[in-house]
Amino acid sequence: METKITSEKWNERYRKSQYAYGKSPNNFFKEQLIGVTNGNILMPADGEGRNGVFAAQKGWQVTSFDISQEGKIKALALAQEKDVSLSYKVGMLEELEFKIEAYDAIGLIYAHFSGSQKEKYHKQLDQYLKVGGIIILEAFSQKHIAYNKKNPAVGGPKKIEELYTVEEIKKDFDNYNIKQLTEEEVELKEGAYHIGKGSVIRFVGEKLKSKKGL
């Protein structure tokens, strides 16, 4: 039931002609991806495709997924507008199939999961990344609750367990070389739903080894 309610929420948001978070990529994702040798990239929770399409423009082979069918429609339209292509699947992570260690990068941009799913999903996504591959993550931190209360226009989950901490990232990605892991206050201007100051976790990690037993 929760999955259905969540997908309906995002379908309603993405059904509008306006792009909810704009057509431009997230600034941190853009900065980190530029200069990285391209290959195959997996984009979970890619929504209307602003980040996946940017990666495709930079020569990456992009596989995106999201729980929203309306998000897929908008993403493919944006890809056509930018004259690129991407593969886009609709469904929950546990419902979809991806090849083990098939990707050179994973972009986790505001990919917020429920508290019970988060660690499990991180471990599952880790399996799909090659050794030597990178994860680029930006997501709201637990401190963001206060920012959201002060300015709801900045967006983000309202449940503390769906937000991130530095310690959580260290634990979930303990088989990575941490290139950057910071908690920062940022000024967001992304479409109609990320407007104003927020608190985010930014993480770039290089996978050093595969975890045993997964």
Side-chain angles (χ1 to χ4, degrees), residues 15-29:
R15 195 173 284 121
K16 299 171 185 176
S17 58
Q18 178 186 18
Y19 278 69
Y21 300 96
K23 294 182 177 181
S24 300
N26 169 265
N27 285 334
F28 182 67
F29 179 72

Side-chain angles (χ1 to χ4, degrees), residues 26-179:
N26 169 265
N27 285 334
F28 182 67
F29 179 72
K30 177 180 178 179
E31 291 168 3
Q32 296 300 320
L33 200 66
I34 290 175
V36 178
T37 302
N38 56 33
N40 296 311
I41 187 168
L42 183 63
M43 300 295 302
D46 201 27
E48 298 165 305
R50 63 192 179 108
N51 296 305
V53 167
F54 172 77
Q57 288 180 287
K58 294 301 175 183
W60 289 81
Q61 299 298 309
V62 181
T63 301
S64 299
F65 72 88
D66 199 278
I67 58 172
S68 171
Q69 180 66 33
E70 296 293 335
K72 176 181 179 178
I73 292 169
K74 298 278 282 294
L76 295 181
L78 182 60
Q80 185 175 23
E81 177 185 314
K82 301 295 185 181
D83 196 27
V84 295
S85 63
L86 69 165
S87 171
Y88 199 116
K89 299 183 179 185
V90 176
M92 298 286 286
L93 177 58
E94 61 266 31
E95 300 167 346
L96 303 174
E97 293 185 3
F98 301 101
K99 292 182 179 179
I100 301 298
E101 298 192 0
Y103 295 93
D104 302 285
I106 295 177
L108 283 167
I109 306 302
Y110 296 103
H112 289 273
F113 309 115
S114 72
S116 61
Q117 292 172 325
K118 203 188 306 178
E119 182 180 1
K120 172 187 169 187
Y121 280 5
H122 287 165
K123 288 180 178 178
Q124 189 170 348
L125 290 169
D126 170 73
Q127 295 180 75
Y128 304 141
L129 189 66
K130 297 176 182 177
V131 173
I134 64 165
I135 282 181
I136 301 170
L137 179 151
E138 179 171 292
F140 290 116
S141 79
Q142 290 191 356
K143 290 181 182 177
H144 184 71
I145 289 282
Y147 290 81
N148 182 275
K149 287 180 179 177
K150 187 175 181 180
N151 172 30
V154 74
K158 294 176 174 58
K159 295 180 180 180
I160 194 78
E161 64 270 16
E162 294 179 9
L163 301 169
Y164 285 80
T165 66
V166 166
E167 291 73 22
E168 188 174 37
I169 296 296
K170 286 180 179 178
K171 178 174 68 71
D172 289 356
F173 300 104
D174 59 358
N175 55 326
Y176 284 69
N177 173 32
I178 296 175
K179 293 179 173 290

